[in-house]
Structure formats: structure tokens, C-alpha cells
Amino acid sequence: MAARSQSISPPPSKRRRLSSSPSTPTINTTVSVPSIPSLPLRPIQPNHLRIFTWNINGITPFLQQSITNFFSSLKSSEPHLSNQKPSILLRSCLKRWKWPQVVCLQEVKISPKDIKTQAAVSTAVKAPTSSFEPSYMAYFSLPHDKYNAQGFGGKVHGVCTLIRSDLIASQYINFVGDIKSVDWDLEGRVLALELSVLKLVILNVYAVNGTSNPYRSPATGEVIGTRHDRKRAFHAELRDECARYLAKGWNVVVAGDINIARAEIDAWPKLRLGAEHVVNRRDFEEKFMLDKEKNGLGMTDSFRALRGQERKFSWRPTGRIWGHEADRVDLILVDKGLRGDERGERELIEADILDEEAERGESDHVPSYITLQMRDMTENGTIIRE
């Protein structure tokens, strides 16, 4: 087996090692954190905008049904198999989620040269010809950094945004210019969806995972720091990207795997307290969560804003018993104008994490979502006020 490239972030399962023993320890279920059942997903109302985010850790399993799942589905009518896991096929997920307008996927792990898989994603999210169900379009930002994101044949990182077709039509969007990657990211980590009629941008983000692995200059390949250094630089660049939209009077949503557990309540059994991780966490809080008067963006953590101290998690390792270890690292941040503006026209009304083992499919993350009430948006997505 080829050696792992040291120029890319390790997979999320390497976030924290709690034991030096390679074997799985005996689990005391009395100290394992349980899942909290998700709220029922309600149908989307005409003036609602629902946004999902999910680090799927490789998109291939979500494009076609496995042989095992196929034969299981044939038996699903039998009473003793009534607890079948939900389908992980992309359109099945979209239907189960009541057809959200925007879905942000991270770690799709598609090589930029792999046109076939990109086309397969686009096909997988389209509605069948005879169906009255919504159809979707898929857009990608994939890695092009030859020094920092070329392991596994280029099948690393990568983000994909799925957009419900009626939202596209209602916005009269020219997608050549209105869904785009950013010039400061070559690793396939950021994709910006600009809904210009609504003056709203949704940033699909797969943030750098801070490690001591080297970070190389994308231009020369020279080692210029660690992945911790790159993570903090990424924070600064993303902060500046958000600030440019806010300065124009736009609303901003940042949705994705931020690779930060913000506080003790967001980690189980404990928060990472290594020196670099503490610095990374503080850097994130200062840049994104502090008020503008303190040089931050003053963003709102949507889950905490609506769910208070509820303890739910978005990442759990796949090789361990569910509930033994977990972090809330997938966040949806909204600017204060979406928390509830002075006109009462835009408001965050739902936020949840689908924190159930069945919902993660083949990933080590589960989906999260928000719903925005946009009273200034009509049923066809046009703007009411000037």
C-alpha cells in the first residue's frame, strides 16, 4: 500500500486519539453520549429557504445502491426487517429532507479530471423525466493544488453544491458568474452561491483540519508552515470573503465542516486542548463570532441560537461504537441580519443536526440544516421590496 501523502489533512477519524492502545476499549455505556432524536422535517413553505450541509466523506456510495442494500430493500416488506436504514442515494436523501433548495456537500473526493463522476452526480440529482418532483443541478469546486491536495490520485477534499432548479430559475442567475470558487483556495474547499436578487450568498466550506503536517507553497512546493498555520490563514481569507459581501449589504451564510468544536458542550467526551488546537479555536472565535466592534464578523451559530445548550454532534468515528466519541464540527453560521433583521423580513426559524447513526450513511458525519423565513421572497423566489 502506498504511503499516505503528508501534504494533505488526515481524515476526520484522526482528529483525536484517546487511547494509545490500537484495540477498541470496552465501552461503558453509562458514559456514552446518546443521540437526541431530530425534529420532524416540515414541508418547505413558499417563503422559506432551507439549507443543508453534510460532509459525506466520498460521494461514490451515494450515487448507486450497493448490492447489500439492494437485497435488503427487496426484503423491506417483511415485518422482522421493519427497521431498515434509510436510503443514502442522493435523491432519496433530498426527498427525505423535503426537497431543500440548497445542499452543501463537503469531501466529495472527486478528482478534477474525473468528468465521469461529476456527470454521475449531476444525473443522480435530476428528477426522472416522468416525475413531478423537483430537480437539482450540481456545481463543484475541486482541488488544483499540486503540492497540497494531490494524494489518492487527486480524490481529496472537494465541495459540491446542489441547487434546486426552481430556485435557479426564480433568481435569473447567470451561473457562469454567480456560483464560483474563490481565488485564494486551490484545495477545493470553498464554493460561493450568490443569489443576487436576494442579496444573499451561501458559502459551502470545507475548512482546513489543523495538523502538524507540512503546508507547502502552492507556487513552489517549498514547506512554508504546518497545516495549523494554513488553517489560521484560511480563517483570515474566509473572514475577508464574508466581510466583502457584508460591506455590500448582502446577507451571508457559511455552511460546512469547519473542523472546529467551539466549546466543551460541542465535544464528547472532552474537547481537544492541545496548544495548537486551542490557538485555532480562539482564532476562529475572534474572526467569526466576536462582534464587529472587536474586529470580528459577529456571526451567529444557528444551532446554538435556536437550540441553546442542547448537546448534539455532527461527527462520530465510523470504527467505534456510536456514542463513544463525537464532536459538533459542522456549523451553519448566519450574519446577524438573518438572525432576525429590524424589518422582521428575514429570520432563522429552524436549525437541527440529524444526529442518528442511520443518517450518516457511509460517512463519519451526519447532515445539519437551517430554515430561513424570507418574508420578502415570494413563492417563485422574486424579491418583494426594493
Side-chain angles (χ1 to χ4, degrees):
M1 181 179 293
R4 179 184 298 275
S5 169
Q6 295 299 304
S7 61
I8 61 173
S9 298
S13 60
K14 299 296 185 183
R15 280 195 178 100
R16 178 173 63 245
R17 183 171 295 170
L18 299 180
S19 171
S20 59
S21 173
S23 60
T24 301
T26 301
I27 304 299
N28 181 350
T29 57
T30 62
V31 298
S32 294
V33 60
S35 300
I36 298 176
S38 303
L39 297 175
L41 272 163
R42 298 179 290 180
I44 300 173
Q45 299 304 306
N47 62 348
H48 286 180
L49 180 64
R50 182 169 290 162
I51 302 166
F52 261 78
T53 183
W54 190 12
N55 180 326
I56 58 174
N57 194 26
I59 203 166
T60 302
F62 299 86
L63 301 181
Q64 58 186 5
Q65 192 171 24
S66 70
I67 295 297
T68 300
N69 287 340
F70 173 74
F71 284 106
S72 295
S73 68
L74 293 180
K75 301 176 184 178
S76 60
S77 60
E78 299 180 26
H80 70 287
L81 290 174
S82 59
N83 293 322
Q84 290 292 316
K85 291 183 178 181
S87 171
I88 64 171
L89 297 180
L90 284 178
R91 277 202 66 83
S92 297
C93 293
L94 295 170
K95 183 175 183 177
R96 190 164 65 249
W97 302 336
K98 311 298 184 184
W99 308 112
Q101 290 97 332
V102 180
V103 177
C104 300
L105 303 175
Q106 300 87 42
E107 269 203 289
V108 293
K109 296 183 179 179
I110 303 173
S111 166
K113 299 177 182 179
D114 187 356
I115 305 302
K116 182 178 179 180
T117 300
Q118 294 175 55
V121 176
S122 296
T123 300
V125 298
K126 286 182 179 178
T129 305
S130 59
S131 172
F132 292 100
E133 295 175 342
S135 194
Y136 287 77
M137 300 183 72
Y139 298 88
F140 302 88
S141 177
L142 302 174
H144 291 86
D145 188 327
K146 64 181 180 180
Y147 295 111
N148 297 293
Q150 290 299 307
F152 310 102
K155 294 183 178 182
V156 295
H157 314 328
V159 295
C160 172
T161 300
L162 307 179
I163 308 166
R164 212 174 72 188
S165 296
D166 59 338
L167 180 66
I168 297 173
S170 69
Q171 291 294 309
Y172 308 104
I173 293 176
N174 172 6
F175 266 88
V176 173
D178 290 317
I179 186 162
K180 57 191 179 184
S181 55
V182 292
D183 57 11
W184 48 267
D185 166 48
L186 299 178
E187 295 187 18
R189 294 183 176 276
V190 181
L191 194 58
L193 167 61
E194 297 178 345
L195 299 175
S196 54
V197 176
L198 294 173
K199 293 186 177 179
L200 170 68
V201 63
I202 301 168
L203 292 157
N204 182 355
V205 174
Y206 176 43
V208 175
N209 186 22
T211 72
S212 58
N213 289 343
Y215 176 71
R216 301 178 183 275
S217 164
T220 67
E222 178 186 1
V223 174
I224 56 175
T226 69
R227 301 296 291 181
H228 288 298
D229 298 318
R230 178 57 192 156
K231 180 172 185 62
R232 294 190 282 270
F234 183 93
H235 286 168
E237 290 163 334
L238 180 60
R239 184 266 320 273
D240 292 347
E241 191 73 28
C242 294
R244 283 190 283 272
Y245 286 103
L246 291 171
K248 296 191 298 183
W250 284 47
N251 286 127
V252 174
V253 176
V254 175
D257 180 357
I258 308 302
N259 268 312
I260 288 283
R262 296 188 58 208
E264 289 284 350
I265 197 173
D266 299 313
W268 182 271
K270 61 182 180 179
L271 195 66
R272 291 189 296 179
L273 296 175
E276 292 281 14
H277 299 303
V278 170
V279 172
N280 293 343
R281 188 177 302 113
R282 183 173 63 241
D283 183 71
F284 171 81
E285 293 291 324
E286 290 175 352
K287 287 182 169 66
F288 292 91
M289 310 310 296
L290 287 184
D291 290 335
K292 295 178 182 178
E293 293 76 14
K294 298 180 180 179
N295 297 319
L297 290 177
M299 300 290 280
T300 293
D301 180 339
S302 58
F303 183 81
R304 284 281 161 253
L306 296 189
R307 309 302 289 273
Q309 297 302 296
E310 189 172 322
R311 203 162 196 189
K312 298 186 79 170
F313 304 96
S314 63
W315 170 83
R316 299 169 188 256
T318 54
R320 312 187 81 164
I321 294 176
W322 182 264
H324 176 66
E325 184 181 357
D327 287 317
R328 186 177 73 96
V329 294
D330 300 85
L331 308 178
I332 305 180
L333 309 178
V334 301
D335 73 86
K336 292 295 177 65
L338 292 175
R339 180 66 179 90
D341 65 15
E342 64 278 4
R343 293 173 176 261
E345 292 175 340
R346 299 185 176 190
E347 184 179 2
L348 174 69
I349 59 171
E350 291 180 323
D352 203 2
I353 300 168
L354 305 188
D355 187 13
E356 293 104 24
E357 187 173 10
E359 282 289 349
R360 72 177 175 181
E362 299 297 317
S363 180
D364 48 356
H365 294 246
V366 294
S368 306
Y369 74 91
I370 64 169
T371 305
L372 299 171
Q373 184 162 268
M374 310 281 284
R375 294 184 180 92
D376 54 347
M377 185 176 77
T378 63
E379 182 172 358
N380 66 359
T382 55
I383 202 80
I384 294 176
R385 63 180 170 85
E386 291 296 329

